[in-house]
Amino acid sequence: MTATVEVEAPVEVEPGLYDIDAELYHQDPIPGGSLSSTGARKLVKDCPAKFKYWLDNPEPPKRHLDFGTAAHSIVLEEGDNIVVTEFDDWRTKAAREERDAIRADGGVPLLFHEGEQVTAMVEALRAHPEAVELLEPGSGVAEQSAFWNDNGVWRRSRFDFLRNDGQLVDYKTARSCRREDLEKAFWEHGYMQQQDFYEAGGIALDLIDPERPMQFVLQEKDPPYLVVVTTCDPMARSIGRHLNEVALNTYAICRRSGEWPGYLPNPMTALPSWVERQYA
């Protein structure tokens, strides 16, 4: 079920699962472009004009994302590009030069204490029975890219871990795994959209078991690096599906017309509903 196609740089992409590097995936190898889960979330959160600007102006690497990327790579047994330096910060010229050289070489630079922190996080995760079973080496394949055509719109996803039993697993670091904080984070980051988007691709390509919902393995970045395994409830999944449908329709219309409008006209602005309730 999880066999992959190994390619270097596909020019014409057929629907399927591809073993390609992250850089090629993010460059979008689909001729004419495709919609990713991240793109779908941006479309419904902002507006077509801001989405199009984001497409045409790729963001440079962000320092605060290096740590999460490193933890992600090591947990998925894909950490060959992680480089732990001897520096305590990036304030000196020598530190910045080494950091930039590592990035230019395709690596992820970490400060010395960050390297120790990532190691401790991985040890904590491997002590969590449910998480370690889901991400057990040999039980699936990591970092696979899926491409499929949905009624004329090409879609793409990059799966963290596709298990041999047909279940998707996604690993994320978090500020807090407390229930209330996760509920807020899932909404703010659109994880319900991500789950629906990824599952749609897995089903379209016959890669996953529809009866096995995608599982999120979330881990706090501060000691004792607590871990929570969860999935979206039925209501959250329904909302994610609706938002993805809005994003897909918007994307298709804008692609067809060549127009990417900004915000809708707003002649009057109300106050937040919670303020209005105080004065009702």
Side-chain angles (χ1 to χ4, degrees):
M1 178 179 286
T2 59
T4 63
V5 179
E6 294 187 2
V7 295
E8 292 184 359
V11 177
E12 296 292 338
V13 181
E14 294 292 330
L17 193 67
Y18 289 81
D19 186 12
I20 59 178
D21 62 36
E23 183 177 2
L24 178 56
Y25 169 81
H26 291 299
Q27 288 174 353
D28 192 356
I30 298 292
S34 61
L35 183 64
S36 67
S37 169
T38 302
R41 283 176 272 171
K42 284 183 176 292
L43 265 175
V44 296
K45 183 178 181 180
D46 294 316
C47 64
K50 294 188 72 171
F51 167 81
K52 187 64 165 60
Y53 182 85
W54 169 75
L55 275 185
D56 296 340
N57 300 272
E59 299 174 349
K62 294 181 179 179
R63 167 74 192 101
H64 72 276
L65 297 179
D66 283 346
F67 182 83
T69 300
H72 183 274
S73 297
I74 294 174
V75 163
L76 296 175
E77 306 290 337
E78 298 282 331
D80 293 343
N81 64 334
I82 307 305
V83 181
V84 179
T85 69
E86 62 182 10
F87 300 104
D88 294 324
D89 56 57
W90 303 118
R91 286 180 290 184
T92 67
K93 180 180 179 182
R96 292 193 297 272
E97 288 179 344
E98 181 167 339
R99 176 197 63 193
D100 295 343
I102 292 170
R103 284 180 176 165
D105 197 38
V108 178
L110 291 183
L111 298 170
F112 184 78
H113 69 86
E114 291 176 327
E116 294 183 321
Q117 185 178 354
V118 169
T119 299
M121 288 179 66
V122 172
E123 290 177 354
L125 184 139
R126 290 176 178 163
H128 190 281
E130 189 176 4
V132 76
E133 181 179 357
L134 284 171
L135 296 169
E136 180 183 2
S139 65
V141 286
E143 301 290 3
Q144 300 297 299
S145 298
F147 300 88
W148 71 103
N149 193 300
D150 183 357
N151 294 316
V153 173
W154 276 95
R155 300 170 66 175
R156 76 182 193 274
S157 293
R158 188 166 174 86
F159 303 143
D160 275 5
F161 199 67
L162 174 57
R163 290 178 49 84
N164 297 331
D165 61 10
Q167 185 167 53
L168 290 170
V169 185
D170 197 82
Y171 171 76
K172 297 184 184 298
T173 55
R175 288 191 298 271
S176 169
C177 287
R178 193 174 66 123
R179 183 185 185 93
E180 294 84 353
D181 294 330
L182 282 184
E183 290 174 352
K184 182 179 179 181
F186 267 54
W187 171 247
E188 289 183 347
H189 299 299
Y191 292 160
M192 68 288 178
Q193 271 188 264
Q194 181 189 0
Q195 179 170 339
D196 174 75
F197 205 100
Y198 281 26
E199 290 177 348
I203 292 171
L205 297 172
D206 195 26
L207 298 171
I208 68 169
D209 180 351
E211 300 301 318
R212 292 177 178 269
M214 184 171 116
Q215 297 293 309
F216 292 91
V217 176
L218 300 114
Q219 184 173 28
E220 294 184 348
K221 292 181 283 188
D222 295 315
Y225 309 115
L226 297 176
V227 176
V228 167
V229 176
T230 187
T231 190
C232 290
D233 71 10
M235 177 60 75
R237 296 175 71 182
S238 177
I239 292 171
R241 187 174 307 112
H242 167 72
L243 292 175
N244 282 333
E245 290 173 353
V246 171
L248 284 163
N249 288 334
T250 302
Y251 179 79
I253 292 170
C254 292
R255 280 288 303 274
R256 186 164 54 248
S257 68
E259 298 179 359
W260 302 85
Y263 301 118
L264 294 173
N266 187 24
M268 290 192 293
T269 297
L271 295 176
S273 58
W274 61 267
V275 175
E276 293 183 351
R277 286 196 295 270
Q278 291 183 5
Y279 289 87

